[in-house]
Amino acid sequence: MNILVTSHSTLCTGLIEAYEMLVSSDAHMLSAVSLTADGINDFRARFEEKFEELHARGDVLILADLPGGTPYNEANMLFQQHQESVRLVAGVNFPMLAEVGFYAQDGDDLDEAVSIALGAGRAGVMQALPLTDASNDPDEDLF
């Protein structure tokens, strides 16, 4: 399975760099294409080229930053054309990429990858709670 991360600006490349630093330096299944100031036509050409390269190697999970944004919309056009071998998830964050990237090292079920991405993405969003006088133990679970 191949994972293609796409975003406005350098968010997608930063996520992959963080993955390589914290999870695995063996991130051969991860690729990124960012929307730059060069515009939509430039992005579309680079995105389609990278997609075709990855799709020739197998199934593709696309993780986009923002539903309805240009990277998502361009990815959605390719998903609609290749529904049997492509999945698209919006709202990419680091917990999502970390979990699905770890899964993709050995797993190849696109629907399972989507389930993992959605679960990890949601679980990775939380609010820190203040410590109370009753629970000043720094080793106590803060969640």
Side-chain angles (χ1 to χ4, degrees):
M1 175 183 319
N2 303 283
I3 300 172
L4 177 54
V5 186
T6 186
S7 69
H8 295 81
S9 193
T10 59
L11 176 64
C12 57
T13 55
L15 287 169
I16 291 176
E17 288 172 5
Y19 179 91
E20 291 171 337
M21 182 176 137
L22 296 172
V23 179
S24 173
S25 60
D26 182 25
H28 63 278
M29 78 298 224
L30 299 177
S31 297
V33 179
S34 59
L35 174 63
T36 67
D38 292 331
I40 294 172
N41 290 331
D42 172 73
F43 171 79
R44 182 179 295 128
R46 290 183 297 107
F47 188 80
E48 288 177 358
E49 180 180 350
K50 179 55 73 175
F51 173 81
E52 291 302 327
E53 173 191 325
L54 297 176
H55 197 235
R57 295 189 331 217
D59 293 343
V60 180
L61 173 62
I62 303 171
L63 303 177
D65 61 347
L66 183 67
T70 297
Y72 175 87
N73 292 341
E74 293 298 318
N76 191 39
M77 285 192 274
L78 292 171
F79 163 67
Q80 297 302 328
Q81 296 169 16
H82 303 281
Q83 294 179 26
E84 70 288 344
S85 57
V86 176
R87 297 293 182 275
L88 171 60
V89 175
V92 66
N93 60 26
F94 186 70
M96 177 189 294
L97 181 61
E99 290 293 327
V100 80
F102 186 73
Y103 170 76
Q105 290 177 2
D106 296 316
D108 62 357
D109 184 317
L110 277 175
D111 293 323
E112 180 66 16
V114 168
S115 179
I116 290 168
L118 293 173
R122 287 182 187 117
V125 177
M126 53 87 56
Q127 176 184 356
L129 301 174
L131 294 175
T132 64
D133 291 337
S135 66
N136 283 334
D137 183 357
D139 293 327
E140 188 173 317
D141 188 5
L142 297 178
F143 303 108

